[in-house]
Amino acid sequence: METFIQHPDGRINNYLSVTTANAVHIVPGSFNPLHAGHRRIFEYASRLGPAYYEISVDRIGKEFLGQYELDKRLSQFLWYAPVIVTNQMLLCNKVALPIFKDLKRIGIHIGADTAKRLIQMNSI
Protein backbone atom coordinates (compact mmCIF):
# COMPACT_ATOMS: atom_id res chain seq x y z
CA MET A 1 0.00 0.00 0.00
CA GLU A 2 1.27 3.43 -0.92
CA THR A 3 1.11 6.27 1.59
CA PHE A 4 -1.70 8.75 0.98
CA ILE A 5 -3.47 11.68 2.60
CA GLN A 6 -7.20 11.98 3.08
CA HIS A 7 -8.13 15.65 3.38
CA PRO A 8 -11.09 16.83 5.47
CA ASP A 9 -13.21 17.28 2.33
CA GLY A 10 -12.54 13.65 1.29
CA ARG A 11 -9.96 14.39 -1.41
CA ILE A 12 -7.07 11.92 -1.58
CA ASN A 13 -3.52 12.65 -2.70
CA ASN A 14 0.00 11.48 -1.95
CA TYR A 15 1.89 14.69 -1.29
CA LEU A 16 2.06 17.15 1.57
CA SER A 17 0.98 20.68 0.80
CA VAL A 18 3.41 22.39 3.15
CA THR A 19 4.41 25.84 2.00
CA THR A 20 6.84 27.96 4.01
CA ALA A 21 6.81 26.00 7.25
CA ASN A 22 9.18 23.18 6.14
CA ALA A 23 7.81 21.26 9.11
CA VAL A 24 4.74 19.25 9.95
CA HIS A 25 3.30 17.86 13.13
CA ILE A 26 2.00 14.30 13.17
CA VAL A 27 -0.46 12.75 15.64
CA PRO A 28 -0.24 8.97 15.13
CA GLY A 29 -2.76 6.49 16.44
CA SER A 30 -5.32 3.77 15.79
CA PHE A 31 -8.29 6.08 16.45
CA ASN A 32 -10.70 3.38 17.48
CA PRO A 33 -12.47 5.65 18.16
CA LEU A 34 -11.18 9.19 17.70
CA HIS A 35 -11.70 10.74 21.15
CA ALA A 36 -11.28 14.01 23.04
CA GLY A 37 -7.68 13.20 24.00
CA HIS A 38 -6.71 12.76 20.35
CA ARG A 39 -8.43 16.04 19.52
CA ARG A 40 -6.60 17.93 22.29
CA ILE A 41 -3.23 16.64 21.09
CA PHE A 42 -4.13 17.63 17.51
CA GLU A 43 -5.26 21.12 18.59
CA TYR A 44 -1.94 21.63 20.35
CA ALA A 45 0.06 20.35 17.35
CA SER A 46 -1.96 22.60 15.00
CA ARG A 47 -0.86 25.67 16.94
CA LEU A 48 2.75 24.79 16.11
CA GLY A 49 2.28 24.44 12.36
CA PRO A 50 0.59 22.24 9.74
CA ALA A 51 -0.74 19.14 11.52
CA TYR A 52 -1.93 15.75 10.35
CA TYR A 53 -3.26 12.68 12.05
CA GLU A 54 -1.50 9.47 10.96
CA ILE A 55 -2.90 5.97 10.94
CA SER A 56 -1.04 2.84 9.85
CA VAL A 57 -2.70 -0.23 8.42
CA ASP A 58 0.17 -2.34 9.79
CA ARG A 59 0.40 -2.02 13.57
CA ILE A 60 2.59 -3.48 16.30
CA GLY A 61 0.79 -6.13 18.29
CA LYS A 62 -2.47 -5.53 16.46
CA GLU A 63 -4.29 -7.04 13.51
CA PHE A 64 -3.68 -5.60 10.02
CA LEU A 65 -6.26 -2.91 9.31
CA GLY A 66 -8.41 -4.02 6.36
CA GLN A 67 -10.13 -1.70 3.91
CA TYR A 68 -13.52 -1.76 5.66
CA GLU A 69 -12.04 -0.89 9.05
CA LEU A 70 -9.71 1.73 7.55
CA ASP A 71 -12.64 3.42 5.78
CA LYS A 72 -14.64 3.35 9.03
CA ARG A 73 -11.84 5.02 10.96
CA LEU A 74 -11.10 7.56 8.24
CA SER A 75 -14.76 8.59 8.17
CA GLN A 76 -14.26 10.09 11.66
CA PHE A 77 -11.97 12.74 10.15
CA LEU A 78 -14.19 13.93 7.30
CA TRP A 79 -14.81 17.66 7.59
CA TYR A 80 -12.45 17.76 10.59
CA ALA A 81 -8.77 17.09 9.84
CA PRO A 82 -6.32 15.58 7.34
CA VAL A 83 -5.03 12.04 7.87
CA ILE A 84 -1.89 10.44 6.48
CA VAL A 85 -2.36 6.71 5.91
CA THR A 86 0.81 4.58 5.95
CA ASN A 87 1.86 0.97 6.23
CA GLN A 88 4.65 1.61 8.71
CA MET A 89 4.51 0.30 12.29
CA LEU A 90 7.42 2.23 13.79
CA LEU A 91 7.70 6.00 14.17
CA CYS A 92 11.27 5.94 12.83
CA ASN A 93 10.03 4.27 9.63
CA LYS A 94 7.08 6.65 9.27
CA VAL A 95 9.29 9.76 9.26
CA ALA A 96 11.58 8.15 6.63
CA LEU A 97 8.73 7.86 4.10
CA PRO A 98 9.18 9.74 0.79
CA ILE A 99 6.16 11.92 1.60
CA PHE A 100 8.30 13.67 4.25
CA LYS A 101 11.55 13.95 2.23
CA ASP A 102 11.53 17.73 1.72
CA LEU A 103 10.82 18.61 5.33
CA LYS A 104 13.38 19.99 7.76
CA ARG A 105 11.41 18.98 10.85
CA ILE A 106 8.69 16.52 11.78
CA GLY A 107 7.05 16.83 15.18
CA ILE A 108 5.55 13.61 16.50
CA HIS A 109 2.87 14.14 19.14
CA ILE A 110 1.84 11.03 21.04
CA GLY A 111 -0.63 10.29 23.79
CA ALA A 112 -0.05 8.60 27.13
CA ASP A 113 -0.90 5.09 25.85
CA THR A 114 1.66 5.30 23.04
CA ALA A 115 4.28 6.79 25.37
CA LYS A 116 3.73 3.91 27.80
CA ARG A 117 4.16 1.33 24.99
CA LEU A 118 7.36 3.02 23.80
CA ILE A 119 8.82 2.94 27.31
CA GLN A 120 7.89 -0.73 27.71
CA MET A 121 9.40 -1.63 24.34
CA ASN A 122 12.71 0.03 25.20
CA SER A 123 12.93 -1.60 28.62
CA ILE A 124 12.87 -5.16 27.25
Side-chain angles (χ1 to χ4, degrees), residues 85-122:
V85 179
T86 73
N87 62 354
Q88 299 298 318
M89 289 186 220
L90 302 175
L91 293 172
C92 60
N93 293 340
K94 293 172 197 262
V95 299
L97 287 166
I99 196 169
F100 299 121
K101 70 177 172 48
D102 294 328
L103 297 174
K104 292 181 180 173
R105 291 186 329 269
I106 301 170
I108 305 289
H109 303 266
I110 60 173
D113 293 342
T114 302
K116 183 178 176 181
R117 280 193 304 277
L118 286 172
I119 291 168
Q120 289 172 342
M121 285 175 60
N122 287 325

mmCIF file of all heavy atoms in Angstrom, residues 85-122:
data_model
loop_
_atom_site.group_PDB
_atom_site.id
_atom_site.type_symbol
_atom_site.label_atom_id
_atom_site.label_comp_id
_atom_site.label_asym_id
_atom_site.label_seq_id
_atom_site.Cartn_x
_atom_site.Cartn_y
_atom_site.Cartn_z
ATOM 1 N N VAL A 85 -2.215 8.156 5.750
ATOM 2 C CA VAL A 85 -2.355 6.711 5.910
ATOM 3 C C VAL A 85 -1.061 6.061 5.422
ATOM 4 O O VAL A 85 -0.627 6.319 4.294
ATOM 5 C CB VAL A 85 -3.569 6.162 5.128
ATOM 6 C CG1 VAL A 85 -3.668 4.650 5.288
ATOM 7 C CG2 VAL A 85 -4.846 6.838 5.601
ATOM 8 N N THR A 86 -0.449 5.251 6.291
ATOM 9 C CA THR A 86 0.808 4.583 5.951
ATOM 10 C C THR A 86 0.687 3.079 6.199
ATOM 11 O O THR A 86 -0.330 2.603 6.692
ATOM 12 C CB THR A 86 1.980 5.120 6.813
ATOM 13 O OG1 THR A 86 1.852 4.631 8.154
ATOM 14 C CG2 THR A 86 2.033 6.635 6.819
ATOM 15 N N ASN A 87 1.770 2.390 5.903
ATOM 16 C CA ASN A 87 1.857 0.966 6.231
ATOM 17 C C ASN A 87 3.074 0.706 7.113
ATOM 18 O O ASN A 87 3.629 -0.374 7.105
ATOM 19 C CB ASN A 87 1.898 0.106 4.965
ATOM 20 C CG ASN A 87 3.119 0.404 4.118
ATOM 21 O OD1 ASN A 87 3.880 1.317 4.408
ATOM 22 N ND2 ASN A 87 3.309 -0.355 3.061
ATOM 23 N N GLN A 88 3.473 1.712 7.866
ATOM 24 C CA GLN A 88 4.653 1.607 8.714
ATOM 25 C C GLN A 88 4.265 1.501 10.184
ATOM 26 O O GLN A 88 3.514 2.329 10.694
ATOM 27 C CB GLN A 88 5.560 2.825 8.519
ATOM 28 C CG GLN A 88 6.076 2.969 7.111
ATOM 29 C CD GLN A 88 6.927 1.787 6.696
ATOM 30 O OE1 GLN A 88 7.747 1.280 7.456
ATOM 31 N NE2 GLN A 88 6.729 1.318 5.462
ATOM 32 N N MET A 89 4.812 0.503 10.873
ATOM 33 C CA MET A 89 4.511 0.301 12.288
ATOM 34 C C MET A 89 5.271 1.263 13.192
ATOM 35 O O MET A 89 4.726 1.761 14.162
ATOM 36 C CB MET A 89 4.907 -1.122 12.704
ATOM 37 C CG MET A 89 4.055 -2.204 12.159
ATOM 38 S SD MET A 89 4.585 -3.750 12.926
ATOM 39 C CE MET A 89 4.481 -4.827 11.534
ATOM 40 N N LEU A 90 6.540 1.479 12.887
ATOM 41 C CA LEU A 90 7.419 2.227 13.788
ATOM 42 C C LEU A 90 7.514 3.700 13.403
ATOM 43 O O LEU A 90 7.566 4.035 12.211
ATOM 44 C CB LEU A 90 8.822 1.613 13.775
ATOM 45 C CG LEU A 90 8.914 0.134 14.165
ATOM 46 C CD1 LEU A 90 10.337 -0.376 13.987
ATOM 47 C CD2 LEU A 90 8.435 -0.068 15.596
ATOM 48 N N LEU A 91 7.593 4.559 14.416
ATOM 49 C CA LEU A 91 7.699 6.000 14.170
ATOM 50 C C LEU A 91 8.923 6.328 13.329
ATOM 51 O O LEU A 91 8.855 7.161 12.425
ATOM 52 C CB LEU A 91 7.750 6.757 15.499
ATOM 53 C CG LEU A 91 6.487 6.707 16.349
ATOM 54 C CD1 LEU A 91 6.740 7.332 17.715
ATOM 55 C CD2 LEU A 91 5.334 7.392 15.654
ATOM 56 N N CYS A 92 10.047 5.654 13.595
ATOM 57 C CA CYS A 92 11.268 5.945 12.831
ATOM 58 C C CYS A 92 11.098 5.614 11.351
ATOM 59 O O CYS A 92 11.680 6.280 10.488
ATOM 60 C CB CYS A 92 12.470 5.217 13.425
ATOM 61 S SG CYS A 92 12.318 3.424 13.469
ATOM 62 N N ASN A 93 10.292 4.612 11.032
ATOM 63 C CA ASN A 93 10.033 4.274 9.626
ATOM 64 C C ASN A 93 9.022 5.228 8.999
ATOM 65 O O ASN A 93 9.091 5.512 7.803
ATOM 66 C CB ASN A 93 9.542 2.834 9.503
ATOM 67 C CG ASN A 93 10.608 1.831 9.882
ATOM 68 O OD1 ASN A 93 11.798 2.140 9.886
ATOM 69 N ND2 ASN A 93 10.197 0.641 10.227
ATOM 70 N N LYS A 94 8.087 5.708 9.798
ATOM 71 C CA LYS A 94 7.083 6.648 9.275
ATOM 72 C C LYS A 94 7.764 7.927 8.790
ATOM 73 O O LYS A 94 7.486 8.404 7.698
ATOM 74 C CB LYS A 94 6.054 6.990 10.355
ATOM 75 C CG LYS A 94 5.177 5.823 10.762
ATOM 76 C CD LYS A 94 4.321 6.200 11.959
ATOM 77 C CE LYS A 94 3.751 5.005 12.649
ATOM 78 N NZ LYS A 94 2.413 4.666 12.309
ATOM 79 N N VAL A 95 8.661 8.486 9.616
ATOM 80 C CA VAL A 95 9.291 9.758 9.257
ATOM 81 C C VAL A 95 10.271 9.615 8.094
ATOM 82 O O VAL A 95 10.657 10.610 7.493
ATOM 83 C CB VAL A 95 9.964 10.443 10.467
ATOM 84 C CG1 VAL A 95 8.932 10.741 11.544
ATOM 85 C CG2 VAL A 95 11.101 9.616 11.018
ATOM 86 N N ALA A 96 10.669 8.380 7.757
ATOM 87 C CA ALA A 96 11.578 8.153 6.630
ATOM 88 C C ALA A 96 10.839 7.980 5.304
ATOM 89 O O ALA A 96 11.471 7.824 4.259
ATOM 90 C CB ALA A 96 12.440 6.916 6.911
ATOM 91 N N LEU A 97 9.518 8.037 5.325
ATOM 92 C CA LEU A 97 8.732 7.865 4.100
ATOM 93 C C LEU A 97 9.000 9.003 3.110
ATOM 94 O O LEU A 97 9.235 10.150 3.516
ATOM 95 C CB LEU A 97 7.238 7.822 4.432
ATOM 96 C CG LEU A 97 6.747 6.552 5.113
ATOM 97 C CD1 LEU A 97 5.344 6.759 5.691
ATOM 98 C CD2 LEU A 97 6.753 5.387 4.132
ATOM 99 N N PRO A 98 8.946 8.713 1.813
ATOM 100 C CA PRO A 98 9.182 9.743 0.795
ATOM 101 C C PRO A 98 8.271 10.971 0.926
ATOM 102 O O PRO A 98 8.674 12.073 0.563
ATOM 103 C CB PRO A 98 8.908 9.009 -0.524
ATOM 104 C CG PRO A 98 9.165 7.582 -0.227
ATOM 105 C CD PRO A 98 8.752 7.389 1.212
ATOM 106 N N ILE A 99 7.087 10.803 1.462
ATOM 107 C CA ILE A 99 6.156 11.923 1.600
ATOM 108 C C ILE A 99 6.745 13.048 2.470
ATOM 109 O O ILE A 99 6.381 14.202 2.345
ATOM 110 C CB ILE A 99 4.796 11.436 2.147
ATOM 111 C CG1 ILE A 99 3.716 12.465 1.935
ATOM 112 C CG2 ILE A 99 4.894 11.042 3.613
ATOM 113 C CD1 ILE A 99 2.317 11.939 2.208
ATOM 114 N N PHE A 100 7.698 12.697 3.329
ATOM 115 C CA PHE A 100 8.303 13.668 4.248
ATOM 116 C C PHE A 100 9.683 14.143 3.804
ATOM 117 O O PHE A 100 10.338 14.891 4.526
ATOM 118 C CB PHE A 100 8.421 13.058 5.646
ATOM 119 C CG PHE A 100 7.119 12.674 6.266
ATOM 120 C CD1 PHE A 100 6.890 11.368 6.649
ATOM 121 C CD2 PHE A 100 6.120 13.610 6.477
ATOM 122 C CE1 PHE A 100 5.685 10.996 7.232
ATOM 123 C CE2 PHE A 100 4.914 13.253 7.048
ATOM 124 C CZ PHE A 100 4.691 11.948 7.435
ATOM 125 N N LYS A 101 10.159 13.733 2.627
ATOM 126 C CA LYS A 101 11.550 13.949 2.228
ATOM 127 C C LYS A 101 11.997 15.409 2.178
ATOM 128 O O LYS A 101 13.158 15.695 2.429
ATOM 129 C CB LYS A 101 11.844 13.255 0.906
ATOM 130 C CG LYS A 101 11.179 13.879 -0.304
ATOM 131 C CD LYS A 101 11.589 13.148 -1.577
ATOM 132 C CE LYS A 101 10.833 13.581 -2.781
ATOM 133 N NZ LYS A 101 10.684 14.953 -3.063
ATOM 134 N N ASP A 102 11.124 16.331 1.867
ATOM 135 C CA ASP A 102 11.526 17.731 1.719
ATOM 136 C C ASP A 102 11.401 18.539 3.004
ATOM 137 O O ASP A 102 11.671 19.742 3.004
ATOM 138 C CB ASP A 102 10.684 18.402 0.630
ATOM 139 C CG ASP A 102 10.968 17.800 -0.737
ATOM 140 O OD1 ASP A 102 12.120 17.374 -0.974
ATOM 141 O OD2 ASP A 102 10.035 17.747 -1.559
ATOM 142 N N LEU A 103 11.031 17.896 4.080
ATOM 143 C CA LEU A 103 10.822 18.614 5.333
ATOM 144 C C LEU A 103 12.099 18.710 6.155
ATOM 145 O O LEU A 103 12.906 17.792 6.177
ATOM 146 C CB LEU A 103 9.742 17.918 6.164
ATOM 147 C CG LEU A 103 8.365 17.883 5.534
ATOM 148 C CD1 LEU A 103 7.433 17.036 6.378
ATOM 149 C CD2 LEU A 103 7.810 19.279 5.367
ATOM 150 N N LYS A 104 12.241 19.833 6.851
ATOM 151 C CA LYS A 104 13.381 19.993 7.756
ATOM 152 C C LYS A 104 13.075 19.421 9.136
ATOM 153 O O LYS A 104 13.968 18.964 9.831
ATOM 154 C CB LYS A 104 13.745 21.467 7.872
ATOM 155 C CG LYS A 104 14.301 22.035 6.587
ATOM 156 C CD LYS A 104 14.679 23.472 6.742
ATOM 157 C CE LYS A 104 15.222 23.994 5.423
ATOM 158 N NZ LYS A 104 15.456 25.416 5.449
ATOM 159 N N ARG A 105 11.792 19.466 9.526
ATOM 160 C CA ARG A 105 11.413 18.980 10.854
ATOM 161 C C ARG A 105 10.070 18.270 10.797
ATOM 162 O O ARG A 105 9.167 18.679 10.068
ATOM 163 C CB ARG A 105 11.290 20.147 11.841
ATOM 164 C CG ARG A 105 12.588 20.807 12.190
ATOM 165 C CD ARG A 105 12.450 21.858 13.288
ATOM 166 N NE ARG A 105 11.188 22.572 13.341
ATOM 167 C CZ ARG A 105 10.921 23.719 12.709
ATOM 168 N NH1 ARG A 105 11.824 24.281 11.961
ATOM 169 N NH2 ARG A 105 9.759 24.300 12.837
ATOM 170 N N ILE A 106 9.963 17.224 11.610
ATOM 171 C CA ILE A 106 8.694 16.524 11.785
ATOM 172 C C ILE A 106 8.481 16.381 13.280
ATOM 173 O O ILE A 106 9.297 15.771 13.974
ATOM 174 C CB ILE A 106 8.709 15.130 11.128
ATOM 175 C CG1 ILE A 106 9.002 15.245 9.632
ATOM 176 C CG2 ILE A 106 7.377 14.419 11.376
ATOM 177 C CD1 ILE A 106 9.262 13.917 8.963
ATOM 178 N N GLY A 107 7.403 16.973 13.771
ATOM 179 C CA GLY A 107 7.054 16.827 15.180
ATOM 180 C C GLY A 107 6.094 15.662 15.329
ATOM 181 O O GLY A 107 5.102 15.584 14.612
ATOM 182 N N ILE A 108 6.417 14.755 16.230
ATOM 183 C CA ILE A 108 5.551 13.609 16.501
ATOM 184 C C ILE A 108 4.910 13.851 17.864
ATOM 185 O O ILE A 108 5.619 14.029 18.862
ATOM 186 C CB ILE A 108 6.341 12.281 16.537
ATOM 187 C CG1 ILE A 108 7.138 12.071 15.261
ATOM 188 C CG2 ILE A 108 5.410 11.118 16.829
ATOM 189 C CD1 ILE A 108 6.332 11.760 14.042
ATOM 190 N N HIS A 109 3.609 13.862 17.907
ATOM 191 C CA HIS A 109 2.867 14.145 19.143
ATOM 192 C C HIS A 109 2.084 12.891 19.519
ATOM 193 O O HIS A 109 1.167 12.496 18.795
ATOM 194 C CB HIS A 109 1.926 15.331 18.937
ATOM 195 C CG HIS A 109 2.661 16.554 18.473
ATOM 196 N ND1 HIS A 109 3.114 17.501 19.339
ATOM 197 C CD2 HIS A 109 3.044 16.956 17.227
ATOM 198 C CE1 HIS A 109 3.735 18.460 18.665
ATOM 199 N NE2 HIS A 109 3.708 18.142 17.375
ATOM 200 N N ILE A 110 2.457 12.289 20.634
ATOM 201 C CA ILE A 110 1.836 11.030 21.038
ATOM 202 C C ILE A 110 1.077 11.201 22.351
ATOM 203 O O ILE A 110 1.359 12.105 23.127
ATOM 204 C CB ILE A 110 2.874 9.899 21.168
ATOM 205 C CG1 ILE A 110 3.939 10.259 22.207
ATOM 206 C CG2 ILE A 110 3.491 9.588 19.815
ATOM 207 C CD1 ILE A 110 4.908 9.143 22.515
ATOM 208 N N GLY A 111 0.146 10.305 22.556
ATOM 209 C CA GLY A 111 -0.626 10.294 23.795
ATOM 210 C C GLY A 111 0.025 9.408 24.845
ATOM 211 O O GLY A 111 1.047 8.758 24.609
ATOM 212 N N ALA A 112 -0.585 9.354 26.001
ATOM 213 C CA ALA A 112 -0.049 8.599 27.128
ATOM 214 C C ALA A 112 0.061 7.101 26.830
ATOM 215 O O ALA A 112 1.047 6.463 27.209
ATOM 216 C CB ALA A 112 -0.918 8.830 28.356
ATOM 217 N N ASP A 113 -0.936 6.523 26.147
ATOM 218 C CA ASP A 113 -0.900 5.085 25.850
ATOM 219 C C ASP A 113 0.292 4.735 24.955
ATOM 220 O O ASP A 113 0.992 3.751 25.191
ATOM 221 C CB ASP A 113 -2.192 4.625 25.171
ATOM 222 C CG ASP A 113 -3.398 4.698 26.088
ATOM 223 O OD1 ASP A 113 -3.200 4.767 27.327
ATOM 224 O OD2 ASP A 113 -4.523 4.682 25.574
ATOM 225 N N THR A 114 0.531 5.548 23.945
ATOM 226 C CA THR A 114 1.661 5.299 23.044
ATOM 227 C C THR A 114 2.977 5.505 23.777
ATOM 228 O O THR A 114 3.913 4.715 23.623
ATOM 229 C CB THR A 114 1.582 6.211 21.803
ATOM 230 O OG1 THR A 114 0.350 5.960 21.142
ATOM 231 C CG2 THR A 114 2.738 5.963 20.849
ATOM 232 N N ALA A 115 3.058 6.538 24.599
ATOM 233 C CA ALA A 115 4.278 6.786 25.373
ATOM 234 C C ALA A 115 4.577 5.601 26.284
ATOM 235 O O ALA A 115 5.726 5.149 26.381
ATOM 236 C CB ALA A 115 4.130 8.065 26.186
ATOM 237 N N LYS A 116 3.566 5.066 26.913
ATOM 238 C CA LYS A 116 3.732 3.906 27.798
ATOM 239 C C LYS A 116 4.257 2.704 27.013
ATOM 240 O O LYS A 116 5.188 2.022 27.456
ATOM 241 C CB LYS A 116 2.405 3.574 28.465
ATOM 242 C CG LYS A 116 2.476 2.442 29.443
ATOM 243 C CD LYS A 116 1.107 2.214 30.084
ATOM 244 C CE LYS A 116 1.133 1.000 30.997
ATOM 245 N NZ LYS A 116 -0.175 0.754 31.604
ATOM 246 N N ARG A 117 3.696 2.440 25.823
ATOM 247 C CA ARG A 117 4.158 1.331 24.990
ATOM 248 C C ARG A 117 5.620 1.521 24.557
ATOM 249 O O ARG A 117 6.398 0.573 24.548
ATOM 250 C CB ARG A 117 3.256 1.149 23.764
ATOM 251 C CG ARG A 117 1.973 0.403 24.062
ATOM 252 C CD ARG A 117 1.259 -0.026 22.790
ATOM 253 N NE ARG A 117 0.969 1.052 21.874
ATOM 254 C CZ ARG A 117 -0.092 1.851 21.980
ATOM 255 N NH1 ARG A 117 -0.966 1.701 22.938
ATOM 256 N NH2 ARG A 117 -0.286 2.809 21.086
ATOM 257 N N LEU A 118 5.985 2.753 24.205
ATOM 258 C CA LEU A 118 7.364 3.018 23.799
ATOM 259 C C LEU A 118 8.336 2.756 24.944
ATOM 260 O O LEU A 118 9.412 2.177 24.753
ATOM 261 C CB LEU A 118 7.516 4.460 23.318
ATOM 262 C CG LEU A 118 6.928 4.768 21.946
ATOM 263 C CD1 LEU A 118 6.968 6.268 21.668
ATOM 264 C CD2 LEU A 118 7.670 4.020 20.861
ATOM 265 N N ILE A 119 7.971 3.166 26.127
ATOM 266 C CA ILE A 119 8.820 2.938 27.306
ATOM 267 C C ILE A 119 8.949 1.449 27.570
ATOM 268 O O ILE A 119 10.041 0.940 27.819
ATOM 269 C CB ILE A 119 8.260 3.679 28.533
ATOM 270 C CG1 ILE A 119 8.428 5.198 28.323
ATOM 271 C CG2 ILE A 119 8.938 3.216 29.824
ATOM 272 C CD1 ILE A 119 7.662 6.047 29.306
ATOM 273 N N GLN A 120 7.844 0.717 27.489
ATOM 274 C CA GLN A 120 7.887 -0.727 27.709
ATOM 275 C C GLN A 120 8.721 -1.436 26.655
ATOM 276 O O GLN A 120 9.478 -2.366 26.974
ATOM 277 C CB GLN A 120 6.465 -1.302 27.728
ATOM 278 C CG GLN A 120 5.689 -0.917 28.954
ATOM 279 C CD GLN A 120 4.217 -1.322 28.881
ATOM 280 O OE1 GLN A 120 3.684 -1.598 27.799
ATOM 281 N NE2 GLN A 120 3.553 -1.319 30.024
ATOM 282 N N MET A 121 8.626 -1.006 25.405
ATOM 283 C CA MET A 121 9.402 -1.635 24.335
ATOM 284 C C MET A 121 10.896 -1.444 24.551
ATOM 285 O O MET A 121 11.685 -2.332 24.294
ATOM 286 C CB MET A 121 9.008 -1.048 22.977
ATOM 287 C CG MET A 121 7.685 -1.523 22.454
ATOM 288 S SD MET A 121 7.211 -0.682 20.937
ATOM 289 C CE MET A 121 8.558 -1.098 19.839
ATOM 290 N N ASN A 122 11.295 -0.260 25.029
ATOM 291 C CA ASN A 122 12.707 0.034 25.205
ATOM 292 C C ASN A 122 13.278 -0.572 26.482
ATOM 293 O O ASN A 122 14.477 -0.616 26.655
ATOM 294 C CB ASN A 122 12.945 1.546 25.202
ATOM 295 C CG ASN A 122 12.808 2.112 23.811
ATOM 296 O OD1 ASN A 122 13.172 1.463 22.849
ATOM 297 N ND2 ASN A 122 12.264 3.299 23.700
#
